[in-house]
Amino acid sequence: METLDFGSLSFAYTKTDYRYVTNYADGRWDAGGLSRDADITLNESACVLHYCQACFEGMKAYRTKDGRVVCFRPELNEARMADSCRRMVMPVLPEGRFLEAVRQTVRANLSYLPPYGTGASLYLRPIMFGTTPLLGVKPAKEFQFRLFASPVGPYFGGSVRALKLRICDFDRAAPRGTGHIKAGLNYAMSLYAITDAHENGYDENVYLDPATRTCIEETGGANMLFVSKQGHLVVPASSSILPSITRRSLIQVAKDYLNLSVEERPVKLAEIGDFAECGLCGTAAVISPVGSIDDHGKIYSFEGFGPVIRKLRQTLTGIQMGDIPAPEGWLMEID
């Protein structure tokens, strides 16, 4: 492998030695296993290239202070991917196959696992997509699942800085659409908007509910949360928000570790000026502070890396790195 400076990694792809691959055909999955081949060969009429029949997940493996190798709550990624597959008319992996793919891929790429204390981690990306050559609009009959690894640094850069967001004029997902699953097509819809946001000096877009455009939903790549001036955690709730594993974990951390009051409810755009802190959360970002949200020239400012956002981040990363005792079942140890 190439020599890596783990302390200066960005959130970008680095090819590693092995990935797990298994294929579905004739109504069943093959045995699956590790592969050195990072390239995928597809027919020009493969379903995924035309009709976006694909879903994916994201999780991280860490090296703890005492030298253990752990993965954070991968069984929840397994469950969410199964939900995505059912919604996208794709076969669910055999029981236990997802977690075995995680174990095999991490073990095979241990030389790429960043050391404790670097702030970096080994990002794991499971993907599944339809490979059947099709012209008509219908589900594929053959699929490939693969899980690859890449060492990464922080999603929003090396330092934890307050992000600059804007209210987006586009919609991310409809209430009865695919917003609640991790389908690639959801992210494709955000590419134009995020490119425009970056060109205009913003880090991310804030999407509103498409029905009324009065409630905060999420950004293109992360869930949102707010902290009231009384120190309560307020988390937007909607049927079209992706159920983030990090978000779910932060809610439990807030309740059980920090003794905070937590509200999960619709959050009106009109009330965000009443909040003291705002953050973005997800596997890649963990939790990043928001400094401002621009609503077409009306600027809402927040404390940035305020005390609650800071403590939530420190506690969750401490759990992930093994510095703080984790709730039972949160860390899958890879021996």
Side-chain angles (χ1 to χ4, degrees):
M1 62 172 282
E2 60 180 298
T3 301
L4 294 175
D5 181 359
F6 290 112
S8 63
L9 289 174
S10 63
F11 194 85
Y13 173 75
T14 297
K15 180 183 175 183
T16 52
D17 294 336
Y18 292 96
R19 66 277 312 133
Y20 184 95
V21 181
T22 183
N23 294 285
Y24 181 91
D26 300 321
R28 63 184 182 85
W29 290 98
D30 65 16
L34 294 174
S35 171
R36 281 188 169 272
D37 192 356
D39 296 323
I40 299 169
T41 300
L42 291 171
N43 184 277
E44 61 191 348
S45 194
C47 180
V48 65
L49 301 178
H50 301 264
Y51 306 125
C52 301
Q53 193 180 18
C55 63
F56 70 99
E57 276 297 323
M59 66 193 84
K60 290 178 178 178
Y62 306 87
R63 193 179 296 278
T64 64
K65 189 174 184 178
D66 60 5
R68 292 178 298 144
V69 177
V70 299
C71 190
F72 184 70
R73 309 192 78 178
E75 76 287 349
L76 297 185
N77 296 95
E78 178 184 39
R80 190 170 64 181
M81 190 164 203
D83 288 341
S84 297
C85 287
R86 296 183 187 101
R87 180 63 175 81
M88 297 294 289
V89 197
M90 302 168 73
V92 175
L93 286 169
E95 185 175 356
R97 182 74 66 89
F98 185 97
L99 295 182
E100 182 57 29
V102 171
R103 291 188 183 94
Q104 289 193 30
T105 304
V106 173
R107 286 192 201 111
N109 294 293
L110 281 178
S111 59
Y112 292 91
L113 181 65
Y116 171 85
T118 60
S121 57
L122 187 66
Y123 186 82
L124 305 174
R125 173 55 62 84
I127 57 173
M128 191 188 297
F129 49 91
T131 59
T132 306
L134 295 174
L135 283 181
V137 181
K138 56 185 177 182
K141 293 184 178 180
E142 293 87 31
F143 299 86
Q144 183 172 110
F145 168 88
R146 62 171 51 211
L147 190 154
F148 65 87
S150 176
V152 298
Y155 188 73
F156 287 108
S159 60
V160 180
R161 59 185 178 84
L163 304 175
K164 182 181 178 182
L165 313 184
R166 70 172 184 183
I167 300 297
C168 188
D169 291 327
F170 295 97
D171 294 329
R172 176 192 163 271
R176 287 180 285 274
T178 56
H180 63 293
I181 64 168
K182 206 165 177 65
L185 58 90
N186 295 339
Y187 297 82
M189 292 175 66
S190 73
L191 295 179
Y192 177 87
I194 192 61
T195 300
D196 184 71
H198 289 166
E199 289 174 351
N200 284 279
Y202 300 95
D203 294 296
E204 254 288 13
N205 292 292
V206 177
Y207 290 94
L208 304 178
D209 73 287
T212 69
R213 294 193 59 78
T214 61
C215 291
I216 297 289
E217 295 241 306
E218 59 182 314
T219 67
N223 280 186
M224 299 188 70
L225 48 81
F226 297 90
V227 180
S228 72
K229 292 175 182 177
Q230 294 74 37
H232 306 314
L233 187 65
V234 181
V235 183
S238 166
S239 62
S240 54
I241 289 177
L242 183 72
S244 163
I245 292 159
T246 304
R247 171 179 171 268
R248 189 187 317 185
S249 303
L250 285 168
I251 289 172
Q252 190 168 337
V253 164
K255 292 177 178 177
D256 297 345
Y257 285 74
L258 304 182
N259 296 314
L260 297 179
S261 171
V262 179
E263 299 177 58
E264 292 183 74
R265 62 171 176 82
V267 174
K268 295 285 188 180
L269 173 60
E271 68 177 297
I272 65 172
D274 298 331
F275 294 119
E277 300 177 50
C278 176
L280 303 187
C281 64
T283 297
V286 185
I287 180 169
S288 296
V290 172
S292 66
I293 298 177
D294 184 347
D295 181 10
H296 301 86
K298 184 175 183 179
I299 309 298
Y300 298 95
S301 297
F302 305 96
E303 196 168 343
F305 209 7
V308 176
I309 297 293
R310 182 184 299 273
K311 194 63 177 176
L312 284 168
R313 180 183 177 87
Q314 289 173 342
T315 306
L316 184 60
T317 55
I319 290 170
Q320 291 171 333
M321 294 292 184
D323 297 330
I324 297 173
E328 185 176 356
W330 276 29
L331 298 181
M332 183 181 81
E333 191 163 344
I334 298 173
D335 48 25

